[in-house]
Amino acid sequence: MVLVHGAFADASGWYEVATGLAHAGFPVIAPPNPLRGIAADAAYLASILATLSGPLVLVAHSYGGMVISNAATGNANVKALVYVAAFVPDEGDTLPDLQYRFPGSRVTPEALDFRPHPAGADAYIKKAFFRDTFAGDLPRATASLMWAGQRPLNASTFEEPSGVPAWRTIPSWYLAARDDHVIPVAAQRFMAQRAGSRVTEVAASHVAMMSQPAATVDLIKRAAR
């Protein structure tokens, strides 16, 4: 089980899911997602997958869906893809193409801080927007810590098109979050249907794997079977 986090987050968001999978006897790894760009992040994940033997199930949250959809293409060891409130791109799609295809996303330019770095700029969700936008069903103290430790996304990633998606040849499952204010549930349903994913819906914010870990683990187990 390879658990891939998204933007404005890190691998700690998978803690309860990883615990549940490990208790069920599954080997689990939750690698860092560099968040530098779709092609670069997919290449990094592909390099990690190349070190793992046996059948693999890739599980992604949010932007991580862009990454696994590209990293798994052509990898015969990957047997299933699981998307948790995640982007499921087709070839040529960008993040804004999918995020704003339907109304409801609160991750707008006004909700972001852009901080320059030597190679461009990084995007962060502003503190005033973070809990309501990203983690509305988690305690305020938890959301505050998540905001403080969020990993930024390289701003140029918003303009980068996705490549040939792995879901064209690998079966997929989708956990849709009905109360998501990052990726509207209508967009999630559209992407899942387009990919032919087996869909389960839960009442959850964007971080469905944190607020609904049991449902997330159950879906991953079904994908594994």
Side-chain angles (χ1 to χ4, degrees):
M1 302 295 182
V2 183
L3 312 180
V4 181
H5 69 83
F8 317 120
D10 61 25
S12 66
W14 292 113
Y15 178 80
E16 289 192 58
V17 170
T19 300
L21 292 172
H23 284 170
F26 293 103
V28 179
I29 181 173
N33 185 352
L35 306 178
R36 297 298 83 194
I38 297 170
D41 297 338
Y44 179 83
L45 179 60
S47 72
I48 292 176
L49 300 180
T51 69
L52 305 175
S53 59
L56 305 175
V57 176
L58 305 192
V59 186
H61 174 242
S62 193
Y63 166 74
M66 304 290 283
V67 179
I68 70 167
S69 296
N70 286 268
T73 301
N75 188 329
N77 283 340
V78 179
K79 305 302 182 183
L81 305 170
V82 181
Y83 297 92
V84 180
F87 291 101
V88 188
D90 203 348
E91 186 174 7
D93 282 341
T94 66
L95 286 168
D97 289 340
L98 300 172
Q99 189 166 354
Y100 306 124
R101 186 182 184 101
F102 298 89
S105 178
R106 298 182 186 174
V107 179
T108 62
E110 293 74 26
L112 300 176
D113 278 324
F114 293 92
R115 297 174 180 165
H117 59 74
D122 275 343
Y124 298 78
I125 298 179
K126 294 177 180 178
K127 187 172 186 178
F129 292 86
F130 190 89
R131 181 174 182 266
D132 179 59
T133 298
F134 202 77
D137 53 359
L138 297 185
R140 291 187 180 278
T142 302
S144 182
L145 288 173
M146 291 169 64
W147 168 81
Q150 67 179 296
R151 294 273 310 282
L153 181 67
N154 195 14
S156 63
T157 309
F158 293 116
E159 302 174 357
E160 185 178 353
S162 189
V164 177
W167 53 257
R168 290 186 183 173
T169 56
I170 301 172
S172 61
W173 283 254
Y174 200 104
L175 187 70
R178 286 194 292 268
D179 304 318
D180 196 332
H181 295 154
V182 177
I183 308 173
V185 69
Q188 296 181 41
R189 292 165 179 158
F190 162 77
M191 291 184 288
Q193 182 179 26
R194 182 176 64 175
S197 305
R198 299 156 180 82
V199 181
T200 298
E201 293 197 6
V202 291
S205 71
H206 186 56
V207 287
M209 73 288 192
M210 297 179 70
S211 62
Q212 296 280 355
T216 306
V217 169
D218 181 66
L219 186 67
I220 297 169
K221 287 180 179 179
R222 277 188 273 154
R225 288 196 294 268

Short mmCIF file of all heavy atoms in Angstrom, two decimals, residues 157-207:
data_model
loop_
_atom_site.label_atom_id
_atom_site.label_comp_id
_atom_site.label_asym_id
_atom_site.label_seq_id
_atom_site.Cartn_x
_atom_site.Cartn_y
_atom_site.Cartn_z
N THR A 157 2.80 24.69 -10.77
CA THR A 157 2.08 23.43 -10.96
C THR A 157 0.65 23.67 -11.44
O THR A 157 0.08 22.83 -12.14
CB THR A 157 2.06 22.64 -9.63
OG1 THR A 157 3.39 22.55 -9.13
CG2 THR A 157 1.49 21.25 -9.83
N PHE A 158 0.07 24.81 -11.08
CA PHE A 158 -1.30 25.10 -11.48
C PHE A 158 -1.46 25.17 -13.00
O PHE A 158 -2.56 24.97 -13.52
CB PHE A 158 -1.78 26.41 -10.86
CG PHE A 158 -1.92 26.36 -9.36
CD1 PHE A 158 -1.13 27.15 -8.55
CD2 PHE A 158 -2.85 25.52 -8.76
CE1 PHE A 158 -1.26 27.12 -7.17
CE2 PHE A 158 -2.99 25.47 -7.38
CZ PHE A 158 -2.19 26.27 -6.57
N GLU A 159 -0.38 25.43 -13.70
CA GLU A 159 -0.44 25.59 -15.16
C GLU A 159 0.04 24.36 -15.92
O GLU A 159 0.01 24.33 -17.14
CB GLU A 159 0.39 26.80 -15.58
CG GLU A 159 -0.05 28.11 -14.94
CD GLU A 159 0.87 29.26 -15.26
OE1 GLU A 159 1.90 29.03 -15.94
OE2 GLU A 159 0.58 30.39 -14.84
N GLU A 160 0.50 23.33 -15.20
CA GLU A 160 1.14 22.17 -15.84
C GLU A 160 0.10 21.12 -16.25
O GLU A 160 -0.68 20.66 -15.42
CB GLU A 160 2.16 21.55 -14.89
CG GLU A 160 2.95 20.42 -15.51
CD GLU A 160 3.99 19.86 -14.57
OE1 GLU A 160 4.19 20.42 -13.47
OE2 GLU A 160 4.60 18.83 -14.92
N PRO A 161 0.08 20.71 -17.51
CA PRO A 161 -0.87 19.68 -17.94
C PRO A 161 -0.43 18.28 -17.51
O PRO A 161 0.76 17.99 -17.43
CB PRO A 161 -0.87 19.81 -19.46
CG PRO A 161 0.49 20.35 -19.78
CD PRO A 161 0.87 21.25 -18.63
N SER A 162 -1.41 17.45 -17.25
CA SER A 162 -1.14 16.07 -16.87
C SER A 162 -0.86 15.22 -18.10
O SER A 162 -1.24 15.56 -19.22
CB SER A 162 -2.34 15.51 -16.10
OG SER A 162 -2.05 14.26 -15.54
N GLY A 163 -0.21 14.08 -17.87
CA GLY A 163 0.14 13.18 -18.97
C GLY A 163 -0.88 12.06 -19.15
O GLY A 163 -2.01 12.14 -18.67
N VAL A 164 -0.47 11.02 -19.84
CA VAL A 164 -1.34 9.87 -20.09
C VAL A 164 -1.68 9.20 -18.76
O VAL A 164 -0.78 8.80 -18.02
CB VAL A 164 -0.67 8.86 -21.03
CG1 VAL A 164 -1.55 7.64 -21.22
CG2 VAL A 164 -0.34 9.52 -22.36
N PRO A 165 -2.97 9.07 -18.40
CA PRO A 165 -3.33 8.59 -17.07
C PRO A 165 -3.30 7.06 -16.94
O PRO A 165 -3.71 6.33 -17.84
CB PRO A 165 -4.75 9.10 -16.89
CG PRO A 165 -5.32 9.12 -18.28
CD PRO A 165 -4.16 9.49 -19.18
N ALA A 166 -2.83 6.62 -15.78
CA ALA A 166 -2.75 5.18 -15.52
C ALA A 166 -4.12 4.54 -15.41
O ALA A 166 -4.26 3.33 -15.65
CB ALA A 166 -1.96 4.94 -14.23
N TRP A 167 -5.16 5.33 -15.08
CA TRP A 167 -6.49 4.71 -14.90
C TRP A 167 -7.07 4.17 -16.20
O TRP A 167 -8.06 3.44 -16.16
CB TRP A 167 -7.46 5.68 -14.23
CG TRP A 167 -7.63 7.04 -14.84
CD1 TRP A 167 -7.10 8.21 -14.39
CD2 TRP A 167 -8.41 7.39 -16.00
NE1 TRP A 167 -7.49 9.27 -15.19
CE2 TRP A 167 -8.29 8.80 -16.18
CE3 TRP A 167 -9.19 6.66 -16.90
CZ2 TRP A 167 -8.93 9.47 -17.23
CZ3 TRP A 167 -9.82 7.33 -17.94
CH2 TRP A 167 -9.68 8.72 -18.10
N ARG A 168 -6.47 4.49 -17.31
CA ARG A 168 -6.95 3.91 -18.57
C ARG A 168 -6.71 2.41 -18.64
O ARG A 168 -7.41 1.69 -19.35
CB ARG A 168 -6.26 4.59 -19.76
CG ARG A 168 -6.70 6.03 -19.99
CD ARG A 168 -6.09 6.60 -21.25
NE ARG A 168 -6.45 8.00 -21.46
CZ ARG A 168 -5.94 8.77 -22.42
NH1 ARG A 168 -5.05 8.26 -23.26
NH2 ARG A 168 -6.32 10.03 -22.52
N THR A 169 -5.73 1.93 -17.89
CA THR A 169 -5.40 0.50 -17.93
C THR A 169 -5.41 -0.16 -16.55
O THR A 169 -5.28 -1.39 -16.46
CB THR A 169 -4.00 0.30 -18.55
OG1 THR A 169 -3.04 1.06 -17.81
CG2 THR A 169 -3.99 0.76 -20.01
N ILE A 170 -5.54 0.62 -15.47
CA ILE A 170 -5.51 0.07 -14.12
C ILE A 170 -6.85 0.38 -13.45
O ILE A 170 -7.30 1.53 -13.48
CB ILE A 170 -4.36 0.68 -13.29
CG1 ILE A 170 -3.01 0.40 -13.97
CG2 ILE A 170 -4.36 0.13 -11.87
CD1 ILE A 170 -1.85 1.13 -13.33
N PRO A 171 -7.51 -0.60 -12.85
CA PRO A 171 -8.81 -0.34 -12.20
C PRO A 171 -8.67 0.63 -11.04
O PRO A 171 -7.64 0.67 -10.35
CB PRO A 171 -9.26 -1.72 -11.73
CG PRO A 171 -8.01 -2.53 -11.66
CD PRO A 171 -7.10 -2.02 -12.73
N SER A 172 -9.74 1.42 -10.81
CA SER A 172 -9.66 2.45 -9.78
C SER A 172 -10.91 2.47 -8.91
O SER A 172 -11.99 2.04 -9.32
CB SER A 172 -9.46 3.83 -10.43
OG SER A 172 -10.53 4.17 -11.29
N TRP A 173 -10.71 3.00 -7.71
CA TRP A 173 -11.77 3.18 -6.72
C TRP A 173 -11.73 4.64 -6.27
O TRP A 173 -10.67 5.27 -6.30
CB TRP A 173 -11.55 2.26 -5.52
CG TRP A 173 -11.93 0.84 -5.77
CD1 TRP A 173 -13.03 0.18 -5.29
CD2 TRP A 173 -11.21 -0.14 -6.56
NE1 TRP A 173 -13.05 -1.12 -5.74
CE2 TRP A 173 -11.94 -1.34 -6.51
CE3 TRP A 173 -10.03 -0.10 -7.29
CZ2 TRP A 173 -11.53 -2.49 -7.18
CZ3 TRP A 173 -9.61 -1.24 -7.96
CH2 TRP A 173 -10.37 -2.42 -7.90
N TYR A 174 -12.88 5.17 -5.84
CA TYR A 174 -12.93 6.58 -5.47
C TYR A 174 -13.77 6.77 -4.20
O TYR A 174 -14.88 6.26 -4.12
CB TYR A 174 -13.54 7.42 -6.60
CG TYR A 174 -13.20 8.90 -6.49
CD1 TYR A 174 -12.25 9.48 -7.31
CD2 TYR A 174 -13.82 9.71 -5.53
CE1 TYR A 174 -11.91 10.82 -7.19
CE2 TYR A 174 -13.47 11.04 -5.39
CZ TYR A 174 -12.54 11.59 -6.23
OH TYR A 174 -12.19 12.92 -6.08
N LEU A 175 -13.21 7.50 -3.22
CA LEU A 175 -13.95 7.91 -2.04
C LEU A 175 -14.28 9.39 -2.19
O LEU A 175 -13.39 10.24 -2.10
CB LEU A 175 -13.13 7.67 -0.77
CG LEU A 175 -13.89 7.90 0.54
CD1 LEU A 175 -14.94 6.80 0.75
CD2 LEU A 175 -12.94 7.94 1.73
N ALA A 176 -15.54 9.69 -2.44
CA ALA A 176 -15.98 11.07 -2.67
C ALA A 176 -16.42 11.69 -1.34
O ALA A 176 -17.15 11.08 -0.56
CB ALA A 176 -17.13 11.10 -3.67
N ALA A 177 -15.96 12.92 -1.12
CA ALA A 177 -16.29 13.67 0.10
C ALA A 177 -17.36 14.70 -0.22
O ALA A 177 -17.10 15.66 -0.94
CB ALA A 177 -15.04 14.34 0.66
N ARG A 178 -18.54 14.49 0.33
CA ARG A 178 -19.68 15.34 -0.05
C ARG A 178 -19.57 16.77 0.46
O ARG A 178 -20.20 17.67 -0.10
CB ARG A 178 -20.98 14.70 0.47
CG ARG A 178 -21.41 13.47 -0.32
CD ARG A 178 -22.85 13.09 -0.01
NE ARG A 178 -23.01 12.60 1.34
CZ ARG A 178 -22.93 11.32 1.67
NH1 ARG A 178 -22.72 10.39 0.75
NH2 ARG A 178 -23.09 10.92 2.93
N ASP A 179 -18.77 17.01 1.52
CA ASP A 179 -18.66 18.35 2.09
C ASP A 179 -17.31 18.99 1.78
O ASP A 179 -16.82 19.85 2.54
CB ASP A 179 -18.87 18.28 3.61
CG ASP A 179 -20.21 17.64 3.97
OD1 ASP A 179 -21.21 17.96 3.30
OD2 ASP A 179 -20.24 16.82 4.91
N ASP A 180 -16.74 18.60 0.67
CA ASP A 180 -15.41 19.09 0.27
C ASP A 180 -15.51 20.51 -0.29
O ASP A 180 -16.28 20.76 -1.22
CB ASP A 180 -14.84 18.14 -0.80
CG ASP A 180 -13.35 18.33 -1.01
OD1 ASP A 180 -12.83 19.44 -0.79
OD2 ASP A 180 -12.70 17.34 -1.40
N HIS A 181 -14.69 21.42 0.26
CA HIS A 181 -14.64 22.81 -0.23
C HIS A 181 -13.37 23.10 -1.00
O HIS A 181 -13.10 24.26 -1.33
CB HIS A 181 -14.78 23.78 0.94
CG HIS A 181 -16.11 23.71 1.62
ND1 HIS A 181 -16.30 24.05 2.94
CD2 HIS A 181 -17.32 23.29 1.17
CE1 HIS A 181 -17.57 23.88 3.27
NE2 HIS A 181 -18.21 23.40 2.21
N VAL A 182 -12.59 22.06 -1.27
CA VAL A 182 -11.41 22.20 -2.14
C VAL A 182 -11.75 21.70 -3.54
O VAL A 182 -11.65 22.43 -4.52
CB VAL A 182 -10.19 21.44 -1.57
CG1 VAL A 182 -9.01 21.54 -2.53
CG2 VAL A 182 -9.81 22.00 -0.20
N ILE A 183 -12.17 20.43 -3.62
CA ILE A 183 -12.62 19.84 -4.88
C ILE A 183 -14.12 19.57 -4.72
O ILE A 183 -14.51 18.64 -4.00
CB ILE A 183 -11.89 18.52 -5.20
CG1 ILE A 183 -10.38 18.70 -5.12
CG2 ILE A 183 -12.29 18.02 -6.58
CD1 ILE A 183 -9.59 17.39 -5.25
N PRO A 184 -14.98 20.36 -5.32
CA PRO A 184 -16.42 20.14 -5.15
C PRO A 184 -16.82 18.70 -5.48
O PRO A 184 -16.24 18.08 -6.38
CB PRO A 184 -17.05 21.13 -6.13
CG PRO A 184 -16.01 22.19 -6.32
CD PRO A 184 -14.69 21.48 -6.22
N VAL A 185 -17.79 18.18 -4.73
CA VAL A 185 -18.16 16.78 -4.93
C VAL A 185 -18.65 16.54 -6.36
O VAL A 185 -18.48 15.43 -6.90
CB VAL A 185 -19.20 16.34 -3.89
CG1 VAL A 185 -20.55 17.01 -4.11
CG2 VAL A 185 -19.34 14.81 -3.87
N ALA A 186 -19.24 17.54 -6.99
CA ALA A 186 -19.66 17.36 -8.39
C ALA A 186 -18.45 17.08 -9.27
O ALA A 186 -18.54 16.25 -10.21
CB ALA A 186 -20.39 18.61 -8.88
N ALA A 187 -17.34 17.74 -9.01
CA ALA A 187 -16.12 17.49 -9.77
C ALA A 187 -15.58 16.10 -9.47
O ALA A 187 -15.10 15.39 -10.37
CB ALA A 187 -15.07 18.55 -9.46
N GLN A 188 -15.66 15.69 -8.21
CA GLN A 188 -15.21 14.35 -7.84
C GLN A 188 -16.03 13.28 -8.56
O GLN A 188 -15.48 12.30 -9.09
CB GLN A 188 -15.30 14.16 -6.32
CG GLN A 188 -14.39 15.09 -5.54
CD GLN A 188 -14.51 14.87 -4.04
OE1 GLN A 188 -14.60 13.74 -3.56
NE2 GLN A 188 -14.52 15.95 -3.28
N ARG A 189 -17.34 13.45 -8.57
CA ARG A 189 -18.19 12.48 -9.26
C ARG A 189 -17.90 12.44 -10.75
O ARG A 189 -17.86 11.36 -11.35
CB ARG A 189 -19.66 12.84 -9.01
CG ARG A 189 -20.12 12.65 -7.58
CD ARG A 189 -21.44 13.34 -7.32
NE ARG A 189 -21.93 13.14 -5.96
CZ ARG A 189 -22.80 13.95 -5.35
NH1 ARG A 189 -23.27 15.02 -6.00
NH2 ARG A 189 -23.17 13.72 -4.12
N PHE A 190 -17.69 13.60 -11.35
CA PHE A 190 -17.37 13.66 -12.78
C PHE A 190 -16.09 12.90 -13.08
O PHE A 190 -16.04 12.08 -14.01
CB PHE A 190 -17.24 15.12 -13.22
CG PHE A 190 -16.53 15.30 -14.52
CD1 PHE A 190 -17.17 15.03 -15.73
CD2 PHE A 190 -15.20 15.71 -14.55
CE1 PHE A 190 -16.50 15.18 -16.94
CE2 PHE A 190 -14.53 15.87 -15.75
CZ PHE A 190 -15.18 15.60 -16.95
N MET A 191 -15.04 13.17 -12.31
CA MET A 191 -13.74 12.54 -12.57
C MET A 191 -13.81 11.03 -12.34
O MET A 191 -13.25 10.25 -13.12
CB MET A 191 -12.66 13.16 -11.68
CG MET A 191 -12.33 14.59 -12.05
SD MET A 191 -10.96 15.28 -11.06
CE MET A 191 -11.74 15.49 -9.45
N ALA A 192 -14.51 10.62 -11.27
CA ALA A 192 -14.62 9.19 -10.97
C ALA A 192 -15.39 8.46 -12.06
O ALA A 192 -15.01 7.37 -12.49
CB ALA A 192 -15.29 8.99 -9.62
N GLN A 193 -16.48 9.07 -12.52
CA GLN A 193 -17.27 8.44 -13.59
C GLN A 193 -16.46 8.33 -14.86
O GLN A 193 -16.48 7.30 -15.55
CB GLN A 193 -18.55 9.23 -13.82
CG GLN A 193 -19.44 8.62 -14.89
CD GLN A 193 -20.72 9.42 -15.10
OE1 GLN A 193 -20.76 10.61 -14.84
NE2 GLN A 193 -21.76 8.75 -15.57
N ARG A 194 -15.73 9.39 -15.20
CA ARG A 194 -14.93 9.38 -16.41
C ARG A 194 -13.88 8.28 -16.38
O ARG A 194 -13.58 7.66 -17.42
CB ARG A 194 -14.27 10.75 -16.59
CG ARG A 194 -13.44 10.89 -17.85
CD ARG A 194 -12.89 12.31 -18.01
NE ARG A 194 -11.97 12.69 -16.95
CZ ARG A 194 -11.30 13.84 -16.92
NH1 ARG A 194 -11.49 14.74 -17.90
NH2 ARG A 194 -10.47 14.13 -15.94
N ALA A 195 -13.31 8.04 -15.21
CA ALA A 195 -12.27 7.02 -15.07
C ALA A 195 -12.84 5.62 -14.88
O ALA A 195 -12.07 4.65 -14.83
CB ALA A 195 -11.37 7.37 -13.90
N GLY A 196 -14.16 5.50 -14.76
CA GLY A 196 -14.75 4.19 -14.51
C GLY A 196 -14.49 3.67 -13.11
O GLY A 196 -14.47 2.45 -12.89
N SER A 197 -14.29 4.57 -12.16
CA SER A 197 -13.98 4.17 -10.78
C SER A 197 -15.20 3.62 -10.06
O SER A 197 -16.33 4.03 -10.34
CB SER A 197 -13.44 5.37 -9.99
OG SER A 197 -12.33 5.97 -10.61
N ARG A 198 -14.97 2.72 -9.14
CA ARG A 198 -16.01 2.25 -8.23
C ARG A 198 -16.10 3.27 -7.09
O ARG A 198 -15.11 3.50 -6.39
CB ARG A 198 -15.66 0.86 -7.71
CG ARG A 198 -15.56 -0.19 -8.82
CD ARG A 198 -14.67 -1.35 -8.41
NE ARG A 198 -14.56 -2.37 -9.43
CZ ARG A 198 -13.73 -2.32 -10.48
NH1 ARG A 198 -12.94 -1.26 -10.64
NH2 ARG A 198 -13.68 -3.30 -11.36
N VAL A 199 -17.25 3.87 -6.90
CA VAL A 199 -17.38 5.05 -6.04
C VAL A 199 -18.10 4.75 -4.74
O VAL A 199 -19.13 4.07 -4.73
CB VAL A 199 -18.11 6.18 -6.78
CG1 VAL A 199 -18.23 7.43 -5.90
CG2 VAL A 199 -17.40 6.52 -8.09
N THR A 200 -17.55 5.27 -3.66
CA THR A 200 -18.21 5.33 -2.36
C THR A 200 -18.23 6.78 -1.92
O THR A 200 -17.25 7.50 -2.12
CB THR A 200 -17.45 4.49 -1.31
OG1 THR A 200 -17.45 3.11 -1.70
CG2 THR A 200 -18.10 4.61 0.06
N GLU A 201 -19.35 7.22 -1.34
CA GLU A 201 -19.45 8.60 -0.86
C GLU A 201 -19.58 8.63 0.66
O GLU A 201 -20.21 7.76 1.26
CB GLU A 201 -20.63 9.32 -1.50
CG GLU A 201 -20.48 9.53 -2.99
CD GLU A 201 -21.44 10.58 -3.53
OE1 GLU A 201 -22.16 11.23 -2.74
OE2 GLU A 201 -21.46 10.75 -4.78
N VAL A 202 -18.95 9.66 1.26
CA VAL A 202 -19.03 9.85 2.71
C VAL A 202 -19.30 11.32 3.00
O VAL A 202 -19.00 12.20 2.18
CB VAL A 202 -17.72 9.42 3.42
CG1 VAL A 202 -17.54 7.92 3.36
CG2 VAL A 202 -16.51 10.13 2.83
N ALA A 203 -19.88 11.60 4.16
CA ALA A 203 -20.05 12.97 4.63
C ALA A 203 -18.73 13.39 5.27
O ALA A 203 -18.43 13.00 6.40
CB ALA A 203 -21.18 13.06 5.63
N ALA A 204 -17.93 14.13 4.52
CA ALA A 204 -16.60 14.48 5.01
C ALA A 204 -16.12 15.75 4.33
O ALA A 204 -16.57 16.10 3.24
CB ALA A 204 -15.61 13.34 4.74
N SER A 205 -15.18 16.41 4.99
CA SER A 205 -14.48 17.54 4.38
C SER A 205 -13.44 17.01 3.40
O SER A 205 -13.40 15.81 3.09
CB SER A 205 -13.80 18.37 5.48
OG SER A 205 -12.69 17.66 6.02
N HIS A 206 -12.57 17.90 2.95
CA HIS A 206 -11.55 17.49 1.99
C HIS A 206 -10.63 16.40 2.53
O HIS A 206 -10.18 15.55 1.78
CB HIS A 206 -10.73 18.72 1.58
CG HIS A 206 -9.73 18.46 0.50
ND1 HIS A 206 -10.10 17.92 -0.74
CD2 HIS A 206 -8.39 18.64 0.44
CE1 HIS A 206 -9.01 17.80 -1.50
NE2 HIS A 206 -7.97 18.22 -0.80
N VAL A 207 -10.38 16.42 3.85
CA VAL A 207 -9.47 15.42 4.43
C VAL A 207 -10.28 14.20 4.91
O VAL A 207 -10.27 13.84 6.08
CB VAL A 207 -8.62 16.02 5.57
CG1 VAL A 207 -7.55 16.93 4.99
CG2 VAL A 207 -9.47 16.78 6.58
#
